[in-house]
Amino acid sequence: QNLKPTVQWLLDLGLSKAHVAKAVSTNPAILGYSIEQNLKLTEQWLLRLGLSTTQIAKAVATFPAILGYSIEQNLKPTVQWLLDLGLSKSQVAKAVAKSPRILGFSIEQNLKQTVEWLFDLGVSKTEVAKVVATSPAILGYSTEQNLKPTVQWLLDLGLSKTQVAKAVSTSPAILGLSIERNLKPKAQWLLDLGLSKSQVAKTVATKPCILGYSIEQNLKLKVRWLLDLGLSNSEVAVVVASFSSFLGLSIDRSLKPKYSLLLVVFGPTEAGQLIAKCPRILSYSHQRLTERLSVLAELNQTKN
């Protein structure tokens, strides 16, 4: 009368059998929820909020406790708070789909305190709304154990408070990275590459998301690509220091196609040196690069 119907409802919602098993193991109380008075009502409320059935299934799989929250006492007040913060309804729906746990956070003890901390850091209300919309999980981070230590680490690295506030605004996910497992290794990797500490600080301030890149699967591969073009270690360091966005470009979808365009006009050595002297050329769109190389070729100015 209880267990089988509830499990079947979860399966019909879109959860796999493995997800149902995990949901029950992490939150066995859901087996006692009324299908009509709890489960279906919560599902309908989430649908009206703007989540798709697939998103609801994923939300329940990752955070089954959501099914036990009171719509009037928990869900509606939290959504209204997010709307009052400046998020649109579609942004709230996206935030809930991305991090359903936020619906279980206390408005007074979690949400308001985190937002006030961001204000004190120097992040504007508009930017705070954007931060929450793109990285809602930040609302659950501990101020003392996560937020403050990460900001202090960035300040110790050499960023100003204004730069830290901007870094948080543009890449809020860095606040959830481990200092020991993520931040320190990335900074050390940049130093080992040949950047000075001030250059590392500037690189992080300009491209803070670099702190979340994998050293093995991203950073080292980009450096190897430049070395294979014929650049020296010191030239690679200059490229990274002067154009840190290079580390975020895809080798197959961006770097290789643009290098191939350069080879139409230049020899391999010349193309490599052009990248070493003007790495920002790799940020140009394929169309822009093609047009400019075509014009220069017609004017016979490519060698200048």
Side-chain angles (χ1 to χ4, degrees):
Q1 292 177 7
N2 295 95
L3 306 185
K4 284 185 177 180
T6 301
V7 167
Q8 189 58 53
W9 183 86
L10 291 169
L11 292 170
D12 292 342
L13 181 64
L15 277 71
S16 66
K17 190 174 180 180
H19 282 147
V20 171
K22 185 178 180 181
V24 171
S25 66
T26 56
N27 191 35
I30 63 173
L31 293 175
Y33 297 157
S34 165
I35 292 178
E36 296 299 328
Q37 296 178 15
N38 290 98
L39 308 186
K40 286 187 177 180
L41 289 179
T42 301
E43 178 194 6
Q44 290 301 315
W45 183 84
L46 290 170
L47 285 171
R48 289 194 298 273
L49 181 62
L51 276 72
S52 66
T53 302
T54 302
Q55 289 175 321
I56 293 174
K58 185 178 179 181
V60 171
T62 56
F63 189 58
I66 192 177
L67 295 173
Y69 290 151
S70 165
I71 292 176
E72 297 299 327
Q73 296 178 15
N74 296 98
L75 306 185
K76 283 186 177 181
T78 301
V79 165
Q80 188 58 53
W81 183 86
L82 291 169
L83 291 170
D84 293 341
L85 183 63
L87 278 73
S88 65
K89 188 177 179 181
S90 62
Q91 287 178 318
V92 172
K94 186 176 181 180
V96 170
K98 192 173 184 179
S99 185
R101 292 179 184 275
I102 63 175
L103 292 176
F105 295 154
S106 164
I107 292 177
E108 296 298 328
Q109 297 178 16
N110 293 100
L111 308 186
K112 285 185 177 181
Q113 288 187 13
T114 302
V115 165
E116 286 300 323
W117 181 84
L118 288 169
F119 287 153
D120 292 341
L121 182 63
V123 184
S124 68
K125 185 176 180 179
T126 301
E127 291 171 331
V128 167
K130 183 179 178 181
V131 165
V132 173
T134 56
S135 296
I138 192 177
L139 294 172
Y141 295 160
S142 166
T143 301
E144 297 300 326
Q145 296 179 15
N146 295 98
L147 306 183
K148 285 184 177 180
T150 301
V151 165
Q152 189 58 54
W153 183 84
L154 291 169
L155 292 171
D156 293 341
L157 184 64
L159 278 72
S160 66
K161 188 177 179 180
T162 301
Q163 288 176 318
V164 171
K166 184 177 181 180
V168 169
S169 298
T170 56
S171 299
I174 63 175
L175 293 174
L177 298 176
S178 165
I179 293 176
E180 296 299 326
R181 296 193 303 273
N182 294 97
L183 307 187
K184 285 185 177 180
K186 305 298 166 46
Q188 188 58 54
W189 182 84
L190 290 169
L191 290 170
D192 294 342
L193 186 63
L195 278 70
S196 65
K197 187 176 180 181
S198 62
Q199 287 176 321
V200 171
K202 183 180 179 181
T203 297
V204 171
T206 305
K207 191 74 173 178
C209 59
I210 191 178
L211 295 172
Y213 293 165
S214 165
I215 292 177
E216 296 298 329
Q217 299 178 15
N218 190 314
L219 305 183
K220 284 186 177 181
L221 294 180
K222 304 295 171 53
V223 167
R224 171 49 54 190
W225 186 79
L226 288 174
L227 292 173
D228 288 344
L229 295 188
L231 276 71
S232 64
N233 289 328
S234 60
E235 287 175 327
V236 170
V238 170
V239 168
V240 173
S242 62
F243 182 54
S244 54
S245 293
F246 161 79
L247 295 172
L249 299 175
S250 167
I251 291 177
D252 291 325
R253 295 193 304 272
S254 181
L255 301 180
K256 284 184 177 180
K258 291 170 185 176
Y259 178 64
S260 296
L261 281 178
L262 295 178
L263 290 180
V264 173
V265 179
F266 303 100
T269 301
E270 292 174 315
Q273 286 305 303
L274 177 60
I275 291 173
K277 293 178 180 178
C278 185
R280 199 168 296 275
I281 195 173
L282 295 172
S283 68
Y284 295 169
S285 69
H286 192 279
Q287 180 180 354
R288 181 183 181 188
L289 192 56
T290 300
E291 291 175 348
R292 278 156 177 71
L293 287 173
S294 176
V295 170
L296 289 173
E298 290 177 4
L299 296 174
N300 199 27
Q301 293 294 313
T302 52
K303 294 186 180 297
N304 296 325

